Amino acid sequence: MPLTFDQPAIAEYVASFAGKPFLPPYTAFGIERNGAITGGFVFNGYIHPSIELSLAGHAIVSRGAWRACLDYAFGQLGVARLGITVSRSNKVACKLAPKAGFVYEGPLRAVQAVRFSLIASDLPKFRQRWGL
């Protein structure tokens, strides 16, 4: 599964699923099949020691994609927390986030969303779960 780094195209792809645009600064990488983007990861909202991750697409949950994601956030940026926000109406994502290894943090006030995260101390268990 080749990764692609056409950041504006990936951000636009993920935004089409998320229903919100991504404004710079952000970092993005995506998964490409047969010349088309089929999944993407967008990192934004970087306030050290935390960064937010938005992801969307088909077959994005792979070892290679997670390895690149963790290496960037925890290795290159040195964050202590990687967070994701999920709409409460997205029942699939609400079930997949904890199965993938993200820890439930709770609801966001005034919006219909919940938060999940990985912190540095979660990494050994996450890496073991994914065989990284």
Side-chain angles (χ1 to χ4, degrees), residues 27-93:
T27 298
F29 66 88
I31 298 164
E32 192 175 87
R33 283 206 175 91
N34 300 323
I37 297 171
T38 60
F41 295 78
V42 178
F43 298 87
N44 65 342
Y46 177 63
I47 301 172
H48 192 71
S50 182
I51 194 163
E52 293 299 309
L53 171 65
S54 297
L55 58 152
H58 305 284
I60 59 170
V61 184
S62 70
R63 285 186 182 103
W66 281 125
R67 186 176 295 113
C69 178
L70 297 179
D71 288 351
Y72 176 71
F74 291 98
Q76 188 173 336
L77 294 179
V79 300
R81 180 186 170 279
L82 176 64
I84 59 172
T85 302
V86 178
S87 169
R88 287 185 194 194
S89 64
N90 189 341
K91 302 295 183 197
V92 173

Side-chain angles (χ1 to χ4, degrees), residues 5 86 119 122 131:
F5 298 94
V86 178
I119 60 174
D122 297 330

